[in-house]
Amino acid sequence: MKKALLLIDVQEDFLGNLGNLDYIVRLSQQYLDQNANEYDLIITTTWKYEDNEGKDTLLISHPKAKRVEKRTYSAFNEEVKKLLEEHQIELVHLGGMDAEMAVMATMYSLLDNGYKVQILEPLLASYHARNWEATTIMKHVLGEENVLRVGGDRVWV
């Protein structure tokens, strides 16, 4: 089964005034560096809006990663859809910023389009300290076996 990693909106402008979320950058980059070869496709997204137009605020990178701009909560836009189809992806691992909105919206979009989805729980960040609520919903929707405890490290905040 061909597998993709989709890391959503790990970008500078979402970290500043939203609490101590910097850990997600280190954990996401570490996971990318250590596990990139396990994936047939890696996509990193950045949410573009009026205040960050023309700026590069993405904080993670990998030579294998395809960068995609998005303008909605869900990262499942036409460009992502095309990449998944071109690489014949069946399974998508998700992580990134805004677990309760962007990650969850992407999860539902992927499910609605026939993809198997697994969440990398340690690679989730939430603006409103709602990771546990988002993760609980994801477990109910996907089944506990599809919310994976991989990709993390100890975090000191």
Side-chain angles (χ1 to χ4, degrees), residues 11 13-14 46-55 57 69-72:
Q11 59 193 79
D13 44 326
F14 288 168
T46 181
W47 191 1
K48 285 299 182 183
Y49 54 96
E50 188 175 323
D51 290 346
N52 76 354
E53 270 312 317
K55 298 176 186 172
T57 62
E69 292 183 0
K70 67 184 192 69
R71 296 182 186 280
T72 61

PDB file of all heavy atoms in Angstrom, residues 11 13-14 46-55 57 69-72:
ATOM      1  N   GLN A  11       4.034  26.535  10.351  1.00  0.00           N
ATOM      2  CA  GLN A  11       4.540  27.788   9.818  1.00  0.00           C
ATOM      3  C   GLN A  11       4.689  28.832  10.919  1.00  0.00           C
ATOM      4  O   GLN A  11       3.968  28.829  11.906  1.00  0.00           O
ATOM      5  CB  GLN A  11       3.656  28.284   8.684  1.00  0.00           C
ATOM      6  CG  GLN A  11       2.216  28.528   9.050  1.00  0.00           C
ATOM      7  CD  GLN A  11       1.342  28.718   7.826  1.00  0.00           C
ATOM      8  OE1 GLN A  11       0.972  27.749   7.174  1.00  0.00           O
ATOM      9  NE2 GLN A  11       1.013  29.970   7.517  1.00  0.00           N
ATOM     10  N   ASP A  13       4.122  32.080  11.310  1.00  0.00           N
ATOM     11  CA  ASP A  13       3.085  33.030  11.707  1.00  0.00           C
ATOM     12  C   ASP A  13       1.999  32.403  12.572  1.00  0.00           C
ATOM     13  O   ASP A  13       1.194  33.108  13.159  1.00  0.00           O
ATOM     14  CB  ASP A  13       2.474  33.730  10.491  1.00  0.00           C
ATOM     15  CG  ASP A  13       2.167  32.807   9.339  1.00  0.00           C
ATOM     16  OD1 ASP A  13       2.912  31.841   9.135  1.00  0.00           O
ATOM     17  OD2 ASP A  13       1.194  33.066   8.625  1.00  0.00           O
ATOM     18  N   PHE A  14       1.980  31.080  12.714  1.00  0.00           N
ATOM     19  CA  PHE A  14       1.010  30.441  13.594  1.00  0.00           C
ATOM     20  C   PHE A  14       1.574  30.157  14.978  1.00  0.00           C
ATOM     21  O   PHE A  14       0.850  29.687  15.842  1.00  0.00           O
ATOM     22  CB  PHE A  14       0.519  29.134  12.982  1.00  0.00           C
ATOM     23  CG  PHE A  14      -0.389  29.321  11.805  1.00  0.00           C
ATOM     24  CD1 PHE A  14      -0.710  28.249  11.016  1.00  0.00           C
ATOM     25  CD2 PHE A  14      -0.913  30.555  11.484  1.00  0.00           C
ATOM     26  CE1 PHE A  14      -1.559  28.392   9.923  1.00  0.00           C
ATOM     27  CE2 PHE A  14      -1.760  30.720  10.397  1.00  0.00           C
ATOM     28  CZ  PHE A  14      -2.080  29.629   9.619  1.00  0.00           C
ATOM     29  N   THR A  46       1.197  25.125   3.625  1.00  0.00           N
ATOM     30  CA  THR A  46       1.224  26.418   4.298  1.00  0.00           C
ATOM     31  C   THR A  46      -0.059  27.151   3.941  1.00  0.00           C
ATOM     32  O   THR A  46      -0.474  27.166   2.784  1.00  0.00           O
ATOM     33  CB  THR A  46       2.486  27.233   3.913  1.00  0.00           C
ATOM     34  OG1 THR A  46       2.477  28.461   4.610  1.00  0.00           O
ATOM     35  CG2 THR A  46       2.587  27.486   2.440  1.00  0.00           C
ATOM     36  N   TRP A  47      -0.711  27.675   4.970  1.00  0.00           N
ATOM     37  CA  TRP A  47      -1.954  28.397   4.763  1.00  0.00           C
ATOM     38  C   TRP A  47      -1.634  29.816   4.358  1.00  0.00           C
ATOM     39  O   TRP A  47      -0.964  30.552   5.084  1.00  0.00           O
ATOM     40  CB  TRP A  47      -2.788  28.374   6.024  1.00  0.00           C
ATOM     41  CG  TRP A  47      -4.193  28.867   5.819  1.00  0.00           C
ATOM     42  CD1 TRP A  47      -4.757  29.295   4.659  1.00  0.00           C
ATOM     43  CD2 TRP A  47      -5.210  28.957   6.802  1.00  0.00           C
ATOM     44  NE1 TRP A  47      -6.060  29.642   4.866  1.00  0.00           N
ATOM     45  CE2 TRP A  47      -6.371  29.454   6.182  1.00  0.00           C
ATOM     46  CE3 TRP A  47      -5.262  28.673   8.159  1.00  0.00           C
ATOM     47  CZ2 TRP A  47      -7.564  29.678   6.854  1.00  0.00           C
ATOM     48  CZ3 TRP A  47      -6.446  28.893   8.833  1.00  0.00           C
ATOM     49  CH2 TRP A  47      -7.574  29.386   8.183  1.00  0.00           C
ATOM     50  N   LYS A  48      -2.099  30.216   3.187  1.00  0.00           N
ATOM     51  CA  LYS A  48      -1.884  31.571   2.677  1.00  0.00           C
ATOM     52  C   LYS A  48      -3.132  32.407   2.921  1.00  0.00           C
ATOM     53  O   LYS A  48      -4.247  31.972   2.667  1.00  0.00           O
ATOM     54  CB  LYS A  48      -1.573  31.540   1.175  1.00  0.00           C
ATOM     55  CG  LYS A  48      -0.167  31.066   0.877  1.00  0.00           C
ATOM     56  CD  LYS A  48       0.816  31.997   1.521  1.00  0.00           C
ATOM     57  CE  LYS A  48       2.236  31.630   1.231  1.00  0.00           C
ATOM     58  NZ  LYS A  48       3.188  32.493   1.901  1.00  0.00           N
ATOM     59  N   TYR A  49      -2.911  33.595   3.444  1.00  0.00           N
ATOM     60  CA  TYR A  49      -3.980  34.550   3.695  1.00  0.00           C
ATOM     61  C   TYR A  49      -3.395  35.940   3.520  1.00  0.00           C
ATOM     62  O   TYR A  49      -2.191  36.099   3.293  1.00  0.00           O
ATOM     63  CB  TYR A  49      -4.594  34.349   5.088  1.00  0.00           C
ATOM     64  CG  TYR A  49      -3.585  34.373   6.212  1.00  0.00           C
ATOM     65  CD1 TYR A  49      -3.342  35.538   6.934  1.00  0.00           C
ATOM     66  CD2 TYR A  49      -2.851  33.234   6.547  1.00  0.00           C
ATOM     67  CE1 TYR A  49      -2.403  35.565   7.958  1.00  0.00           C
ATOM     68  CE2 TYR A  49      -1.929  33.256   7.565  1.00  0.00           C
ATOM     69  CZ  TYR A  49      -1.703  34.421   8.274  1.00  0.00           C
ATOM     70  OH  TYR A  49      -0.774  34.441   9.276  1.00  0.00           O
ATOM     71  N   GLU A  50      -4.206  36.955   3.622  1.00  0.00           N
ATOM     72  CA  GLU A  50      -3.816  38.317   3.274  1.00  0.00           C
ATOM     73  C   GLU A  50      -2.524  38.777   3.961  1.00  0.00           C
ATOM     74  O   GLU A  50      -1.646  39.343   3.313  1.00  0.00           O
ATOM     75  CB  GLU A  50      -4.956  39.280   3.626  1.00  0.00           C
ATOM     76  CG  GLU A  50      -4.726  40.690   3.136  1.00  0.00           C
ATOM     77  CD  GLU A  50      -5.923  41.584   3.400  1.00  0.00           C
ATOM     78  OE1 GLU A  50      -7.071  41.111   3.291  1.00  0.00           O
ATOM     79  OE2 GLU A  50      -5.685  42.757   3.714  1.00  0.00           O
ATOM     80  N   ASP A  51      -2.371  38.532   5.253  1.00  0.00           N
ATOM     81  CA  ASP A  51      -1.212  39.040   5.996  1.00  0.00           C
ATOM     82  C   ASP A  51       0.106  38.329   5.680  1.00  0.00           C
ATOM     83  O   ASP A  51       1.172  38.852   5.988  1.00  0.00           O
ATOM     84  CB  ASP A  51      -1.454  38.960   7.504  1.00  0.00           C
ATOM     85  CG  ASP A  51      -2.492  39.958   7.980  1.00  0.00           C
ATOM     86  OD1 ASP A  51      -2.829  40.885   7.204  1.00  0.00           O
ATOM     87  OD2 ASP A  51      -2.972  39.818   9.115  1.00  0.00           O
ATOM     88  N   ASN A  52       0.058  37.140   5.102  1.00  0.00           N
ATOM     89  CA  ASN A  52       1.322  36.457   4.816  1.00  0.00           C
ATOM     90  C   ASN A  52       1.556  36.248   3.320  1.00  0.00           C
ATOM     91  O   ASN A  52       2.459  35.497   2.936  1.00  0.00           O
ATOM     92  CB  ASN A  52       1.437  35.144   5.600  1.00  0.00           C
ATOM     93  CG  ASN A  52       0.605  34.016   5.043  1.00  0.00           C
ATOM     94  OD1 ASN A  52      -0.177  34.179   4.111  1.00  0.00           O
ATOM     95  ND2 ASN A  52       0.752  32.844   5.636  1.00  0.00           N
ATOM     96  N   GLU A  53       0.773  36.901   2.484  1.00  0.00           N
ATOM     97  CA  GLU A  53       0.990  36.805   1.034  1.00  0.00           C
ATOM     98  C   GLU A  53       2.413  37.240   0.686  1.00  0.00           C
ATOM     99  O   GLU A  53       2.906  38.241   1.197  1.00  0.00           O
ATOM    100  CB  GLU A  53       0.017  37.702   0.270  1.00  0.00           C
ATOM    101  CG  GLU A  53      -1.283  37.104  -0.124  1.00  0.00           C
ATOM    102  CD  GLU A  53      -1.271  35.749  -0.783  1.00  0.00           C
ATOM    103  OE1 GLU A  53      -0.439  35.460  -1.667  1.00  0.00           O
ATOM    104  OE2 GLU A  53      -2.129  34.955  -0.406  1.00  0.00           O
ATOM    105  N   GLY A  54       3.065  36.468  -0.153  1.00  0.00           N
ATOM    106  CA  GLY A  54       4.417  36.793  -0.595  1.00  0.00           C
ATOM    107  C   GLY A  54       5.511  36.463   0.407  1.00  0.00           C
ATOM    108  O   GLY A  54       6.680  36.702   0.147  1.00  0.00           O
ATOM    109  N   LYS A  55       5.154  35.895   1.554  1.00  0.00           N
ATOM    110  CA  LYS A  55       6.143  35.534   2.577  1.00  0.00           C
ATOM    111  C   LYS A  55       6.254  34.015   2.653  1.00  0.00           C
ATOM    112  O   LYS A  55       5.272  33.298   2.493  1.00  0.00           O
ATOM    113  CB  LYS A  55       5.729  36.075   3.948  1.00  0.00           C
ATOM    114  CG  LYS A  55       5.628  37.575   4.018  1.00  0.00           C
ATOM    115  CD  LYS A  55       5.127  38.000   5.380  1.00  0.00           C
ATOM    116  CE  LYS A  55       4.875  39.498   5.417  1.00  0.00           C
ATOM    117  NZ  LYS A  55       4.209  39.896   6.670  1.00  0.00           N
ATOM    118  N   THR A  57       6.694  31.348   5.238  1.00  0.00           N
ATOM    119  CA  THR A  57       6.657  31.167   6.686  1.00  0.00           C
ATOM    120  C   THR A  57       6.749  29.699   7.110  1.00  0.00           C
ATOM    121  O   THR A  57       6.686  29.403   8.292  1.00  0.00           O
ATOM    122  CB  THR A  57       5.372  31.791   7.276  1.00  0.00           C
ATOM    123  OG1 THR A  57       4.239  31.118   6.740  1.00  0.00           O
ATOM    124  CG2 THR A  57       5.284  33.271   6.963  1.00  0.00           C
ATOM    125  N   GLU A  69       0.521  25.359  -1.169  1.00  0.00           N
ATOM    126  CA  GLU A  69      -0.187  26.443  -0.506  1.00  0.00           C
ATOM    127  C   GLU A  69      -1.667  26.103  -0.470  1.00  0.00           C
ATOM    128  O   GLU A  69      -2.191  25.501  -1.399  1.00  0.00           O
ATOM    129  CB  GLU A  69       0.005  27.761  -1.258  1.00  0.00           C
ATOM    130  CG  GLU A  69       1.411  28.288  -1.189  1.00  0.00           C
ATOM    131  CD  GLU A  69       1.575  29.633  -1.890  1.00  0.00           C
ATOM    132  OE1 GLU A  69       0.585  30.173  -2.445  1.00  0.00           O
ATOM    133  OE2 GLU A  69       2.699  30.147  -1.882  1.00  0.00           O
ATOM    134  N   LYS A  70      -2.317  26.502   0.623  1.00  0.00           N
ATOM    135  CA  LYS A  70      -3.758  26.275   0.735  1.00  0.00           C
ATOM    136  C   LYS A  70      -4.423  27.533   1.265  1.00  0.00           C
ATOM    137  O   LYS A  70      -3.779  28.381   1.873  1.00  0.00           O
ATOM    138  CB  LYS A  70      -4.066  25.063   1.609  1.00  0.00           C
ATOM    139  CG  LYS A  70      -3.711  25.212   3.070  1.00  0.00           C
ATOM    140  CD  LYS A  70      -3.966  23.906   3.798  1.00  0.00           C
ATOM    141  CE  LYS A  70      -3.918  24.029   5.288  1.00  0.00           C
ATOM    142  NZ  LYS A  70      -4.974  24.774   5.920  1.00  0.00           N
ATOM    143  N   ARG A  71      -5.717  27.646   1.023  1.00  0.00           N
ATOM    144  CA  ARG A  71      -6.472  28.829   1.435  1.00  0.00           C
ATOM    145  C   ARG A  71      -7.751  28.461   2.184  1.00  0.00           C
ATOM    146  O   ARG A  71      -8.621  29.298   2.369  1.00  0.00           O
ATOM    147  CB  ARG A  71      -6.788  29.693   0.216  1.00  0.00           C
ATOM    148  CG  ARG A  71      -5.523  30.237  -0.429  1.00  0.00           C
ATOM    149  CD  ARG A  71      -5.800  31.135  -1.602  1.00  0.00           C
ATOM    150  NE  ARG A  71      -4.569  31.504  -2.262  1.00  0.00           N
ATOM    151  CZ  ARG A  71      -3.721  32.445  -1.857  1.00  0.00           C
ATOM    152  NH1 ARG A  71      -3.976  33.125  -0.774  1.00  0.00           N
ATOM    153  NH2 ARG A  71      -2.626  32.706  -2.530  1.00  0.00           N
ATOM    154  N   THR A  72      -7.851  27.217   2.605  1.00  0.00           N
ATOM    155  CA  THR A  72      -8.996  26.739   3.380  1.00  0.00           C
ATOM    156  C   THR A  72      -8.465  25.894   4.528  1.00  0.00           C
ATOM    157  O   THR A  72      -7.287  25.541   4.558  1.00  0.00           O
ATOM    158  CB  THR A  72      -9.929  25.879   2.516  1.00  0.00           C
ATOM    159  OG1 THR A  72      -9.203  24.736   2.056  1.00  0.00           O
ATOM    160  CG2 THR A  72     -10.473  26.653   1.329  1.00  0.00           C
TER     161      THR A  72
END
